[in-house]
Amino acid sequence: MSRDHVQSAERPSPAAALPGRSHPDTGPGPGSAETPFLELLARGASAEAFEQPVLLARAEAQPAERIAALEQAKLLALRVRSELEERRRREAELSALFETAHDLAGLRDLDAVLRAIVQRARSLLGTDVAYLSLNDPARGDTYMRVTEGSVAARFQQLRLGMGEGLGGLVAQTARPYVTEDYFRDDRFRHTRSIDTGVRDEGLVAILGVPLMLGHHVIGVLFAADRRARVFEREQIALLGSFAALAAAAIDTANLLAETRSAVAGLERANEIIRDRSAVIERASDVHDRLAELVLRGGGVHDVAAAVSQVLDGTVEFTDTTAAPAQALESSRAEGHAVRHRDDWIAAVAAGDELLGALVLRGHPGLDPVDQRTLERAAMVTSLLLLARRSAAEAEQRVRGELLDDLLDARDRDPRLLRERAARLRADLDATHAVLAARLDGGTVDADAEADARRRLWAAASHLAATGQGLDAARDGGTVLLLPLAPGDTATDLARRTARQLGTAVHEPVTVGASAPVEHLTARPDTVAAAYAEARRCLDALRLLGRSGDGSAAEDFGFLGLLLAGERDIAGFVDRTIGQVVAYDERRGTELLRTLDAYFACGMSPARTKDELHVHVNTVAQRLERVGRLLGDDWQSPARVLEIQLALRLHRLSAGPVRPARH
C-alpha cells in the first residue's frame, strides 16, 4: 500500500470532520446548507475553514443547487463572522477607552496614566512599539516621555528638534500622519539623530497622531511596527482617541499642579496672616464665614450675623428706607463704608440700584481692615440678593406662565400640564383652592403703590414656591393656586395667606378664596371659574369693610349672592342643599318636599305630618336623614335661613315642589 493510501486510511475524511454534515447516501436535508457554517461560527473557526464545506461538496459531485446553496451560505456566514469580529474589536476598543477614562478620572500619577494609554494603544493596534513624545517649550524641542515595547536605549532617550521627523510633520499640521516605510518616505525632514534612533529600534511603519490642547499641539502619540504595514482608518481614529485622553490627562495634571501651587501659595499667605495682628485674623475669619455662607445658600441676615461675630458688634441688614439717606448715598457713590454718628453704613448696591445697607451699630472706632470687612460683606450681600432675585424671577415667571395657561382656559394637553407642574413641585391632581389677593393700604403715590405691588408679587411667589403651588400677577393684584392640606379648609387657607402676605409687605392684604377644586386639568375652565369665585369673595370682603382679612366663598352663604358681581345661584343651591337634591334624585324620596313643608309649618313635626298626611315617625326619619346629609347644625338660625333661601331658589329654577296631599 502506498504512503498516500496509508495516510488516507489513517486520517478521517473531510466529510467526517465537518460537523452537521448529512450522510452522502441520504443527501442534505432541508436547510442543512447553513448547518456546517453555523457550527464554524459557533466555535470561532478561521476564515479558511469556511471553504471546506464547498470544496467537499464539489469533491463529492453534489448537485449544483446544493453547491450554490453552500456558496451562498458561506458568503453569508463570512459576513456574519466579519461583523462579529468587528463588534468584538470595537468592544475591546471601547473597553480600553473606558478603562483609560476611568484611570484619568482617578488621576494620581500622570506617568502611570500615560503608560496605561500607550500600553493599551499598542495592544489594540497590535503594533510592536508605542510611544508618546511631549514638546518642551523651555528648550524648544521634543522629548520622549513614555515608551512601550522599545528595546533601544538611544531611542528611549531621543530628543527631537521642532519640525524634525514624522512627529515634526504631525506637530506642524496638527493632523495624523502615517508612513508604511519610514526611511523611504521623503514627506518629512530626516535627521541623523532621529534616523539613528529609529534604525536602532528597527522601526519601519509609523503612525503618529497629535496631542491637542485647544488649538495647540503639545506632543505626539505614535504606534510603530518593525515591518511594513498599512494602518486602517479605524486604527488611526482609535489612536486619535487615546491621544485625546492623553492630552486630557496632561491638562488635568497641569491643572492639579497649578492648583497645588495655588494652595501652597495660599498656605504661605495664611502663615503670613497668622503672623499679623488680631485684626487680620478677624478679616480672614469673616472671609471664611462668608464663603461658607455662600456655598451653603445662606441669606443676607446670615451674613449680617457672621460679620457681627467677627467685628464684635451688631450688624443689621436694612432696606433703603430705614438707613440714613445721606450716609447711604455717600457709601454708594464712594464704594466704601462711611461713618454716621456712632454707626457705620455700607451700601448694598448693584450698579446704580440700591438694594439696602449693612449697618454696624455703636462702633465708632473702626480700623481700616474691619472697615474693608464690612464693605466686602456688603458686596457679598448684594451678590446674594441679585442671585436670589434672578432665581426668584425665573421661577416666578415659569409659575406665572403655567397658572396663566390654566386661568385662560387654553386647550392644553393635560399630560404636559402635569409634567410642567411636577417640575415646579406642584401636583395638579391634588385638591386646591384658588386665591385672589390685593393690597388695601391705599396710597396716592404711584411709585409707592408700584413698589408695594412688587413686594406683594414677590411675597406671593415665595409663598407659592414653598407651598408647592403656583402664582401670577393679575388684575392689579395676585392670584395663587395652593394645595389644601388634609383637614384644612379654604377659609383657613385664605386667612393664613392674608396674614402671611400682610406681614411680608407690611400692609393689609385681603384674600378671597374659591371653594376647593379638584382635577384641574380635566376641564379647561376649572381654574378660571374658581378664580372668578375667589374674586367675588374678595369683592364681598372689601364691601363688608373686612380689608386685610381672608375668607372663602362658602363662608358667605346667601350673602355672597347679594354682594357678588355675578349671581352664582346654581352654585349656592348646590353648596347648601345639593346633597339633599342628589339623594332625592337617586332614591326617589321626598326629602325636599318634607323640608318645604317643615319650614312652612313653623318647624313643627306634628303639623308637618298633618300637612304631608304621613305618620310623625316618618317625618322624624326624613328629618334625621336630612341632618345626616346637611350636618348637625342644619337647624341653626343662620343655616335655616340659607336652606330656606336655597329651597326657594331651587323651586324657582327647577319648577315648584309638588303640593302636599290633603
Side-chain angles (χ1 to χ4, degrees):
M1 183 180 296
S2 67
R3 181 179 178 183
D4 292 341
H5 284 89
V6 172
Q7 291 177 344
S8 174
E10 293 175 350
R11 186 172 60 247
S13 69
L18 283 172
R21 180 186 177 278
S22 302
H23 193 276
D25 295 335
T26 61
S32 62
E34 294 85 355
T35 302
F37 298 107
L38 291 176
E39 294 185 359
L40 289 171
L41 285 172
R43 70 168 187 259
S46 65
E48 292 77 8
F50 285 77
E51 294 290 341
Q52 293 301 320
V54 179
L55 295 175
L56 180 62
R58 287 174 177 164
E60 294 177 348
Q62 293 189 14
E65 293 81 0
R66 169 66 176 176
I67 295 175
L70 286 172
E71 283 283 1
Q72 184 177 1
K74 178 195 73 172
L75 294 177
L76 181 60
L78 287 174
R79 285 173 55 191
V80 172
R81 180 181 179 277
S82 176
E83 180 68 22
L84 290 174
E85 287 184 348
E86 176 64 18
R87 292 190 179 185
R88 282 194 292 269
R89 184 185 65 80
R90 289 296 300 157
E91 181 180 356
E93 292 175 357
L94 292 175
S95 177
L97 288 173
F98 176 79
E99 292 174 359
T100 305
H102 182 270
D103 292 343
L104 178 58
L107 178 64
R108 292 296 180 271
D109 181 359
L110 176 61
D111 287 336
V113 175
L114 294 181
R115 278 196 300 273
I117 290 174
V118 172
Q119 289 169 357
R120 288 167 186 154
R122 178 195 177 200
S123 173
L124 285 178
L125 269 66
T127 58
D128 299 322
V129 182
Y131 52 100
L132 183 149
S133 66
L134 292 180
N135 296 347
D136 187 347
R139 297 181 54 173
D141 62 1
T142 301
Y143 66 96
M144 201 72 69
R145 178 65 185 269
V146 181
T147 64
E148 176 66 22
S150 171
V151 295
R154 184 183 303 179
F155 181 80
Q156 297 170 10
Q157 300 172 4
L158 196 61
R159 296 191 74 96
L160 319 176
M162 298 300 291
E164 297 176 351
L166 184 141
L169 187 60
V170 173
Q172 285 179 347
T173 62
R175 295 174 56 187
Y177 269 87
V178 61
T179 177
E180 299 177 20
D181 191 335
Y182 174 82
F183 292 101
R184 294 184 180 181
D185 199 329
D186 58 0
R187 289 178 298 169
F188 43 84
R189 182 156 56 95
H190 290 265
T191 65
R192 177 178 298 179
S193 60
I194 300 175
D195 289 355
T196 301
V198 173
R199 189 174 287 107
D200 286 351
E201 193 63 52
L203 301 181
V204 177
I206 304 176
L207 165 63
V209 294
L211 275 66
M212 305 288 296
L213 278 183
H215 299 290
H216 301 288
V217 178
I218 64 169
V220 181
L221 179 61
F222 298 89
D225 259 352
R226 296 187 176 94
R227 65 186 184 282
R229 170 178 177 171
V230 176
F231 288 95
E232 303 293 339
R233 184 186 302 272
E234 294 80 5
Q235 295 173 324
I236 298 174
L238 176 61
L239 193 63
S241 299
F242 277 112
L245 291 175
I250 295 168
D251 190 34
T252 302
N254 291 337
L255 291 176
L256 285 174
E258 293 175 3
T259 302
R260 293 190 184 102
S261 177
V263 170
L266 289 176
E267 290 176 350
R268 289 192 296 271
N270 286 333
E271 290 176 1
I272 296 173
I273 291 174
R274 284 194 295 269
D275 292 339
R276 301 287 295 275
S277 64
V279 175
I280 301 297
E281 292 179 4
R282 289 201 303 272
S284 177
D285 185 24
V286 75
H287 295 163
D288 293 343
R289 294 191 185 198
L290 293 179
E292 182 183 357
L293 283 173
V294 172
L295 290 175
R296 73 164 185 252
V300 293
H301 297 290
D302 297 322
V303 173
V307 179
S308 297
Q309 295 178 3
V310 173
L311 299 183
D312 194 20
T314 301
V315 178
E316 299 175 353
F317 173 77
T318 63
D319 58 29
T320 55
T321 59
Q326 184 175 357
L328 183 60
E329 181 59 29
S330 298
S331 176
R332 186 196 65 79
E334 298 174 8
H336 297 291
V338 298
R339 181 176 172 180
H340 177 72
R341 298 177 184 171
D342 290 341
D343 302 335
W344 283 84
I345 312 296
V348 177
D352 293 332
E353 182 184 3
L354 277 172
L355 306 175
L358 284 184
V359 182
L360 176 59
R361 304 286 187 188
H363 209 306
L366 196 64
D367 58 63
V369 175
D370 284 346
Q371 179 181 344
R372 184 59 180 158
T373 296
L374 183 62
E375 293 165 359
R376 289 185 177 178
M379 181 180 64
V380 171
T381 302
S382 66
L383 293 175
L384 286 175
L385 289 175
L386 288 176
R388 296 287 175 83
R389 178 195 290 179
S390 298
E393 288 175 352
E395 184 171 348
Q396 183 178 10
R397 183 167 56 254
V398 175
R399 291 180 183 275
E401 289 172 355
L402 177 55
L403 185 52
D404 282 336
D405 287 347
L406 293 171
L407 286 170
D408 294 338
R410 296 172 184 165
D411 188 12
R412 299 278 182 155
D413 185 351
R415 180 181 59 82
L416 294 179
L417 290 174
R418 292 190 186 95
E419 290 178 357
R420 290 170 60 188
R423 287 194 290 269
L424 297 170
R425 301 181 300 280
D427 181 10
L428 295 184
D429 292 326
T431 302
H432 286 72
V434 178
L435 299 94
R438 189 178 301 166
L439 288 165
D440 284 310
T443 177
V444 295
D445 188 343
D447 292 338
E449 183 178 358
D451 183 62
R453 285 184 179 179
R454 282 194 295 270
R455 293 200 305 272
L456 174 62
W457 294 337
S461 176
H462 175 73
L463 188 61
T466 55
Q468 297 182 341
L470 304 174
D471 72 291
R474 183 165 288 218
D475 300 324
T478 186
V479 54
L480 297 99
L481 179 68
L482 298 178
L484 281 172
D488 207 1
T489 66
T491 300
D492 296 335
L493 182 60
R495 289 175 179 169
R496 187 167 61 250
T497 302
R499 184 170 59 253
Q500 292 172 337
L501 293 179
T503 301
V505 301
H506 307 295
E507 290 189 26
V509 177
T510 307
V511 177
S514 70
V517 290
E518 299 178 339
H519 311 298
L520 303 181
T521 59
R523 289 175 49 223
D525 59 344
T526 300
V527 179
Y531 176 55
E533 183 179 22
R535 285 284 306 280
R536 290 194 294 272
C537 179
L538 175 63
D539 294 339
L541 283 172
R542 301 180 76 182
L543 288 172
L544 292 171
R546 291 173 57 186
S547 296
D549 197 1
S551 189
E554 58 194 19
D555 298 334
F556 291 98
F558 73 92
L559 289 178
L561 297 177
L562 303 176
L563 296 173
E566 299 178 11
R567 309 295 191 252
D568 185 14
I569 294 175
F572 170 74
V573 172
D574 184 65
R575 288 193 298 272
T576 307
I577 60 171
Q579 293 188 355
V580 177
V581 173
Y583 190 89
D584 274 356
E585 290 175 351
R586 281 197 317 271
R587 304 293 184 91
T589 55
E590 296 186 333
L591 298 184
L592 284 176
R593 181 166 172 259
T594 302
L595 271 177
D596 216 30
Y598 180 65
F599 289 126
C601 294
M603 301 176 66
S604 168
R607 293 171 56 189
T608 302
K609 62 98 174 172
D610 295 335
E611 178 71 17
L612 298 176
H613 299 283
V614 296
H615 196 274
V616 68
N617 288 342
T618 302
V619 174
Q621 291 171 359
R622 292 178 180 178
L623 295 179
E624 182 180 357
R625 171 63 61 184
V626 169
R628 285 199 293 270
L629 293 172
L630 299 184
D632 294 337
D633 64 338
W634 73 277
Q635 297 193 69
S636 64
R639 292 290 304 280
V640 165
L641 181 60
E642 292 184 358
I643 292 171
Q644 290 187 76
L645 179 59
L647 287 170
R648 178 67 60 88
L649 292 172
H650 180 265
R651 184 165 57 250
L652 292 174
S653 61
V657 179
R658 286 180 295 145
R661 294 189 298 269
H662 295 284

